[in-house]
């Protein structure tokens, strides 16, 4: 059966989106839009009613189901939601009991912005959010039995409710739903929280829940929306075990969130940097997340910018055996360059192909005048011309060649980034 699934259609996210579109059109529903990063379906029924359906809860079940069962699974999910009349609450009293807080990264929210046709990267935010810790943002959703809808700033305005009130109510709702959770020990000294809902990672927003857990000095990793990993900051093996578990799950059905460790100090969190032997694992996790974020951004930008090369961020192996991310800057290309750790400059000279590998810091030091920052997140730069032969020769002589790419990418990069 696995071979047949592979040959006749892998359970990919684009396939789920396409199958959803087919299901809707077969029922005469043509006014719809699917936001792939938020995994949110917005549609208007023939009777004029508006619906938003979160496909994120369907995705892991659809991905694991046998090929023959996927159509029925999709039908049952959409049919139940549409016939249940789960529309956007028009008044705050109806919405309040269903509010929940969630965590997302800056890159994920920026990708969601680009997923809406016609949205510019500097347009008003699609999702109501506030900064939390480091790169993590706090956002609001409306929770339903089978769906999750992100709260937009326009919806808060329509309700006549400030962010602070809605946030406090969402936290109270999550706190009420967090009394029956349990901790599963993955390895000695490392636990994963289980509350049987879609908000495991959100429990990091409840310091009292963390203090009631089994760790003496709570240190957490939130690698996926569905996973909160906990250890004690004084356990030397804990961070390594958490990071190793997250790396092993990257190509599974879980939706990626953050590669960062957070340490609880009284009632507030602070970023914690991994030390050896956990440091290389965190570096690998960050590398995978960074490349996936740029891949998601590239897929959203490329169709909207014809004639402009949206540079990819890829993984390769350096001469010393370490894995690095890199991008390419080619002569004569009008390019949006990602801020990769390494940049390969490629050009023709005397009829021969030439290549120069530079760390990002060196690239900016020598060619900042040709790199125009944009408003994209993760960061990109619009190149304005290409260095002439004299500048390239000067930089090549003055710059060490450490980090030159010598072998092709060695990692799969098909994990879930939204």
């Amino acid at each position: 059966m696995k071979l047949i699934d592979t040959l006749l259609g892998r359970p990919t996210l684009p396939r789920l989106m396409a199958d959803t579109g087919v299901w809707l059109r077969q029922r005469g529903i043509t006014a719809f839009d699917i936001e792939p990063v938020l995994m949110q379906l917005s549609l208007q029924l023939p009777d004029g009613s508006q619906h938003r359906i979160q496909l994120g809860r369907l995705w892991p079940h659809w991905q694991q189901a046998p090929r023959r069962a996927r159509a029925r699974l999709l039908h049952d999910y959409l049919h139940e939601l549409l016939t249940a009349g789960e529309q956007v609450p028009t008044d705050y009293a109806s919405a309040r009991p269903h509010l929940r807080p969630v965590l997302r990264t800056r890159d994920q929210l920026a990708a969601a912005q680009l997923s809406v046709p016609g949205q510019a990267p500097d347009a008003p935010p699609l999702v109501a959010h506030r900064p939390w810790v480091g790169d993590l943002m706090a956002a609001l959703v409306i929770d339903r039995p089978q769906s999750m809808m992100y709260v937009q700033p326009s919806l808060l305005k329509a309700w006549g409710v400030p962010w602070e009130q809605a946030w406090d109510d969402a936290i109270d709702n999550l706190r009420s739903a967090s009394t029956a959770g349990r901790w599963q020990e993955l390895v000695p000294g490392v636990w994963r929280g289980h509350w049987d809902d879609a908000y495991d990672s959100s429990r990091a927003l409840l310091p009292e829940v963390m203090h009631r857990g089994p760790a003496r000095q709570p240190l957490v990793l939130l690698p996926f929306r569905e996973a909160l990993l906990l250890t004690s900051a004084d356990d030397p093996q804990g961070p390594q075990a958490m990071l190793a578990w997250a790396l092993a799950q990257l190509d599974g059905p879980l939706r990626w969130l953050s590669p960062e460790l957070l340490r609880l100090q009284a009632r507030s969190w602070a970023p914690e940097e991994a030390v050896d032997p956990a440091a290389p694992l965190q570096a690998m996790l960050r590398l995978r997340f960074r490349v996936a974020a740029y891949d998601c951004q590239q897929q959203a930008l490329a169709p909207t910018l014809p004639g402009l090369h949206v540079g990819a961020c890829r993984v390769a192996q350096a001469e010393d055996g370490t894995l690095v991310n890199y991008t390419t800057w080619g002569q004569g290309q009008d390019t949006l360059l990602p801020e990769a750790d390494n940049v390969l400059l490629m050009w023709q000279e005397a009829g021969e192909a030439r290549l120069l590998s530079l760390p990002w810091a060196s690239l900016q030091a020598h060619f900042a005048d040709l790199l125009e920052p944009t408003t994209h997140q993760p960061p990109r730069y619009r190149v304005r011309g290409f260095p002439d032969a004299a500048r390239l020769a000067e930089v090549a002589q003055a710059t060490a060649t450490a980090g030159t790419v010598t072998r092709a990418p060695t990692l799969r990069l098909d994990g879930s980034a939204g």
Side-chain angles (χ1 to χ4, degrees), residues 132-188:
W132 188 57
V133 177
D135 194 46
L136 284 166
M137 304 285 109
L140 290 167
V141 300
I142 298 173
D143 180 74
R144 297 291 194 178
Q146 297 296 329
S147 67
M148 178 193 295
M149 186 191 80
Y150 287 87
V151 174
Q152 300 185 9
S154 58
L155 191 53
L156 288 175
K157 184 177 180 180
W159 290 338
V161 173
W163 162 272
E164 291 76 14
Q165 180 181 345
W167 179 255
D168 288 345
D169 290 339
I171 288 291
D172 285 343
N173 293 338
L174 182 66
R175 184 177 290 113
S176 298
S178 302
T179 57
R182 62 185 177 86
W183 295 95
Q184 174 194 3
E185 192 169 38
L186 300 179
V187 297

Side-chain angles (χ1 to χ4, degrees), residues 37-297:
V37 176
L38 291 179
M39 297 186 76
Q40 182 170 279
L41 168 65
S42 304
L43 59 92
Q44 178 176 316
L45 296 181
D47 64 5
S49 62
Q50 304 280 339
H51 295 260
R52 285 193 178 92
I53 295 174
Q54 175 55 238
L55 297 174
R57 290 191 174 180
L58 170 65
W59 167 238
H61 303 289
W62 188 87
Q63 190 181 35
Q64 294 176 346
R67 181 177 57 87
R68 292 180 180 179
R70 291 179 206 142
R72 170 54 60 181
L73 189 64
L74 177 64
H75 169 81
D76 290 347
Y77 186 82
L78 294 177
H79 179 74
E80 179 181 353
L81 292 179
L82 292 177
T83 56
E86 291 194 346
Q87 301 183 33
V88 179
T90 57
D91 64 283
Y92 188 66
S94 299
R96 183 191 177 284
H98 305 287
L99 289 175
R100 299 290 187 274
V102 294
L103 296 171
R104 301 292 183 264
T105 65
R106 294 180 190 275
D107 290 348
Q108 290 161 0
L109 292 180
Q113 196 84 353
L114 291 175
S115 70
V116 180
Q119 287 283 317
D122 55 352
L126 179 69
V127 179
H129 65 277
R130 295 291 188 276
W132 188 57
V133 177
D135 194 46
L136 284 166
M137 304 285 109
L140 290 167
V141 300
I142 298 173
D143 180 74
R144 297 291 194 178
Q146 297 296 329
S147 67
M148 178 193 295
M149 186 191 80
Y150 287 87
V151 174
Q152 300 185 9
S154 58
L155 191 53
L156 288 175
K157 184 177 180 180
W159 290 338
V161 173
W163 162 272
E164 291 76 14
Q165 180 181 345
W167 179 255
D168 288 345
D169 290 339
I171 288 291
D172 285 343
N173 293 338
L174 182 66
R175 184 177 290 113
S176 298
S178 302
T179 57
R182 62 185 177 86
W183 295 95
Q184 174 194 3
E185 192 169 38
L186 300 179
V187 297
V190 172
W191 298 267
R192 179 182 177 183
H194 284 279
W195 285 268
D196 297 322
D197 57 23
Y199 302 98
D200 285 350
S201 60
S202 296
R203 265 69 184 204
L205 295 161
L206 302 174
E208 66 274 18
V209 172
M210 299 299 100
H211 282 304
R212 290 199 304 263
R216 297 176 297 276
Q217 302 175 25
L219 179 73
V220 301
L221 179 68
L222 311 173
F224 309 106
R225 300 181 192 181
E226 305 89 347
L228 184 155
L229 304 184
L230 173 70
T231 190
S232 184
D234 60 359
D235 183 346
Q237 306 301 322
Q240 181 181 6
M242 292 196 301
L243 291 162
W245 184 91
L247 284 166
Q249 307 299 318
L250 281 184
D251 293 318
L254 299 177
R255 292 169 292 171
W256 297 12
L257 182 54
S258 171
E260 301 305 320
L261 295 168
L262 301 174
R263 182 173 181 175
L264 185 58
Q265 300 173 338
R267 295 189 59 82
S268 62
W269 294 96
E272 181 91 351
E273 197 69 20
V275 297
D276 288 337
L281 298 180
Q282 185 175 46
M284 175 62 72
L285 200 61
R286 286 171 172 168
L287 178 71
R288 294 288 307 270
F289 275 55
R290 185 68 165 175
V291 172
Y294 270 122
D295 182 58
C296 185
Q297 183 192 61

